Amino acid sequence: MAIDKSLVTGSTTMLILKLLEEADMYGYQMIEELNKKSKNVFELKAGTLYPLLHTLEQKELVTSYEQTADNARVRKYYSITKKGHKYLCDKKEEWKTFISAVNDVLGAANYATA
Amino acid sequence: MAIDKSLVTGSTTMLILKLLEEADMYGYQMIEELNKKSKNVFELKAGTLYPLLHTLEQKELVTSYEQTADNARVRKYYSITKKGHKYLCDKKEEWKTFISAVNDVLGAANYATA
DNA sequence: TTGACATATATAGATTGTCGATATATAATG
DNA sequence: CATTATATATCGACAATCTATATATGTCAA
């Protein structure tokens, strides 16, 4: 599957925050969830995700805490903040504006209805 | 208007080719058309467009020819090639795949129907 | 028990696409 | 005559992602 990576640019943060809106998650889990939910279209790489999570934490859109799993493996969970919720909400509006604009140009009423 | 520029990444080529599918155009005209059709969401910059057009010409997705307008100003028109048509068709499929995947993650049936 | 693979996080360097700034030149407008 | 719009072009900067690499532990099969 997978698509031209440059299409993904700009939407990754939105998608990660959306996952965290549903439940706290650790990095590796996000990669799997995103892959599963998108039916293998998004194959987010660890080298993309971890730096991104650190950035989101710096911006206070997420917070993190460590938790030990059954198998004694330590996982770093991320949780969305109030600021993160607000940010996600804005990004979703931008996303709607964006796809509407693309579809206006494509003249493709079948692609989206904003 | 205008949105986060990183969202635009990857879709610009598709939009330009789409414009050329409707009619031959010169660079400056494409900027205006794109702005108009997208209701001012896409404010494509000359510094983005011209290098892109040169790349598309190298890839043989478009060809160009010069034409003198009424006011004696010389314009460089671009025309989509057969290869360009094929490429656009593929890109549109990718676009559909992409927005479906994003909407699968967002769980937003209202954003698109692929 | 050892080697391979999945899990889990992390960083460095390369690549790509867009932008702002700058340059040039002509036409139209005040 | 000066400013703005038209029209094309290039360069350096920047942001986001990727590949490659590193580290370490758990699981499973040969």
Side-chain angles (χ1 to χ4, degrees):
Chain A
M1 280 297 162
I3 51 168
D4 182 0
K5 58 189 171 184
S6 63
L7 271 181
V8 181
T9 308
S11 61
T12 308
T13 297
M14 175 176 72
L15 298 175
I16 292 300
L17 289 178
K18 174 62 189 175
L19 291 183
L20 292 178
E21 201 171 53
E22 287 165 25
D24 287 7
M25 281 189 199
Y26 54 98
Y28 198 86
Q29 188 184 5
M30 295 176 204
I31 293 173
E32 291 187 313
E33 274 296 309
L34 208 51
N35 192 273
K36 189 178 140 201
K37 288 207 176 193
S38 73
K39 291 154 193 156
N40 307 313
V41 174
F42 296 127
E43 293 165 352
L44 187 61
K45 300 299 151 51
T48 304
L49 178 63
Y50 292 110
L52 173 60
L53 287 173
H54 302 157
T55 304
L56 293 180
E57 196 167 15
Q58 272 175 29
K59 290 183 183 169
E60 298 180 331
L61 302 178
V62 303
T63 53
S64 69
Y65 56 94
E66 298 205 335
Q67 193 167 299
T68 306
D70 296 341
N71 52 17
R73 191 189 283 279
V74 177
R75 288 164 176 167
K76 196 166 171 185
Y77 280 83
Y78 288 86
S79 182
I80 191 168
T81 63
K82 196 165 282 187
K83 199 169 166 183
H85 273 293
K86 174 77 174 64
Y87 186 86
L88 174 57
C89 195
D90 291 347
K91 282 289 155 189
K92 277 158 86 173
E93 278 309 303
E94 253 187 41
W95 168 251
K96 284 205 281 184
T97 301
F98 171 60
I99 61 169
S100 290
V102 173
N103 287 322
D104 283 343
V105 177
L106 291 183
N110 54 314
Y111 293 160
T113 41
Chain B
M1 280 297 161
I3 51 168
D4 182 359
K5 59 187 171 186
S6 63
L7 271 180
V8 181
T9 308
S11 61
T12 307
T13 298
M14 174 176 73
L15 298 175
I16 292 300
L17 290 177
K18 174 63 189 175
L19 291 183
L20 292 179
E21 201 171 52
E22 287 165 25
D24 287 7
M25 281 189 199
Y26 54 98
Y28 198 87
Q29 188 184 7
M30 294 178 205
I31 292 173
E32 292 186 312
E33 273 296 308
L34 208 52
N35 192 274
K36 190 178 138 198
K37 288 207 174 191
S38 73
K39 291 155 192 156
N40 306 314
V41 175
F42 296 127
E43 293 166 351
L44 187 60
K45 300 300 151 54
T48 305
L49 179 63
Y50 292 110
L52 174 59
L53 287 173
H54 302 156
T55 305
L56 294 180
E57 196 167 15
Q58 272 175 31
K59 289 184 184 167
E60 297 179 332
L61 301 178
V62 303
T63 53
S64 68
Y65 56 93
E66 298 206 332
Q67 193 167 299
T68 306
D70 296 341
N71 51 17
R73 190 187 284 279
V74 177
R75 289 166 177 164
K76 195 166 171 185
Y77 281 82
Y78 288 87
S79 181
I80 190 167
T81 64
K82 197 165 280 186
K83 199 170 167 185
H85 273 293
K86 174 78 174 64
Y87 186 86
L88 174 58
C89 196
D90 291 347
K91 282 288 154 187
K92 277 158 84 175
E93 278 309 305
E94 252 187 39
W95 168 250
K96 284 206 281 185
T97 302
F98 171 61
I99 61 169
S100 289
V102 173
N103 287 322
D104 282 343
V105 176
L106 291 184
N110 53 313
Y111 292 160
T113 42

